[in-house]
Coordinates of all heavy atoms in Angstrom, one line a residue:
M519 N 118.6 196.9 -49.2 CA 118.1 197.2 -47.8 C 117.5 195.9 -47.1 O 117.8 195.7 -45.9 CB 117.0 198.3 -47.8 CG 117.6 199.6 -48.2 SD 116.4 201.0 -47.9 CE 115.3 200.7 -49.4
A520 N 116.9 195.1 -47.9 CA 116.3 193.9 -47.3 C 117.4 192.9 -46.9 O 117.2 192.1 -45.9 CB 115.4 193.2 -48.3
G521 N 118.6 193.0 -47.5 CA 119.7 192.2 -47.2 C 120.2 192.5 -45.8 O 121.0 191.7 -45.2
F522 N 119.9 193.6 -45.2 CA 120.3 194.0 -43.8 C 119.2 193.6 -42.8 O 119.4 194.0 -41.6 CB 120.6 195.5 -43.7 CG 121.9 195.8 -44.5 CD1 121.7 196.4 -45.7 CD2 123.1 195.6 -44.0 CE1 122.9 196.8 -46.5 CE2 124.3 195.9 -44.7 CZ 124.1 196.5 -45.9
L523 N 118.2 192.9 -43.2 CA 117.1 192.5 -42.2 C 117.3 191.0 -41.8 O 117.5 190.2 -42.6 CB 115.8 192.7 -42.9 CG 115.3 194.2 -43.2 CD1 114.0 194.1 -43.9 CD2 115.3 195.0 -41.9
E524 N 117.1 190.8 -40.5 CA 117.1 189.5 -40.0 C 115.8 188.8 -40.2 O 115.6 187.7 -40.5 CB 117.5 189.5 -38.5 CG 117.6 188.1 -37.8 CD 118.0 188.2 -36.4 OE1 117.1 188.4 -35.5 OE2 119.2 188.2 -36.2
D525 N 114.7 189.7 -40.0 CA 113.3 189.3 -40.3 C 112.6 190.3 -41.0 O 112.3 191.4 -40.6 CB 112.6 189.0 -38.9 CG 111.3 188.5 -39.0 OD1 110.6 188.6 -40.0 OD2 110.8 187.8 -38.0
K526 N 112.3 189.9 -42.3 CA 111.7 190.9 -43.2 C 110.2 191.3 -42.7 O 109.8 192.4 -42.9 CB 111.7 190.4 -44.6 CG 113.1 190.3 -45.3 CD 113.0 189.8 -46.7 CE 114.3 189.6 -47.3 NZ 114.3 189.2 -48.7
E527 N 109.5 190.3 -42.3 CA 108.1 190.5 -41.9 C 108.1 191.4 -40.7 O 107.2 192.3 -40.6 CB 107.5 189.2 -41.6 CG 107.3 188.2 -42.7 CD 106.4 188.8 -43.8 OE1 105.4 189.5 -43.5 OE2 106.8 188.6 -45.1
A528 N 109.0 191.3 -39.8 CA 108.9 192.1 -38.6 C 109.8 193.4 -38.8 O 109.9 194.2 -37.8 CB 109.5 191.3 -37.4
N529 N 110.4 193.5 -40.0 CA 111.3 194.6 -40.2 C 112.4 194.7 -39.1 O 112.8 195.8 -38.7 CB 110.5 196.0 -40.3 CG 111.3 197.1 -40.9 OD1 112.2 196.8 -41.8 ND2 111.1 198.3 -40.5
K530 N 112.9 193.5 -38.7 CA 114.0 193.5 -37.7 C 115.3 193.4 -38.3 O 115.7 192.6 -39.1 CB 113.8 192.2 -36.8 CG 114.8 192.0 -35.8 CD 114.6 190.8 -35.0 CE 115.6 190.6 -33.9 NZ 115.4 189.3 -33.2
P531 N 116.2 194.3 -38.0 CA 117.6 194.4 -38.7 C 118.5 193.3 -38.1 O 118.2 192.7 -37.1 CB 118.1 195.8 -38.3 CG 117.4 196.0 -36.9 CD 116.1 195.4 -37.1
L532 N 119.6 193.1 -38.8 CA 120.6 192.2 -38.4 C 121.3 192.8 -37.2 O 121.2 194.0 -36.9 CB 121.6 191.9 -39.5 CG 121.1 191.1 -40.7 CD1 122.0 191.3 -41.9 CD2 120.9 189.7 -40.4
P533 N 122.1 192.0 -36.4 CA 122.8 192.5 -35.3 C 123.7 193.6 -35.7 O 124.2 193.7 -36.9 CB 123.6 191.3 -34.8 CG 122.8 190.2 -35.2 CD 122.2 190.5 -36.5

Side-chain angles (χ1 to χ4, degrees):
M519 288 188 288
F522 291 102
L523 294 176
E524 184 177 87
D525 186 334
K526 294 182 181 180
E527 294 298 323
N529 197 31
K530 179 182 178 182
L532 291 166

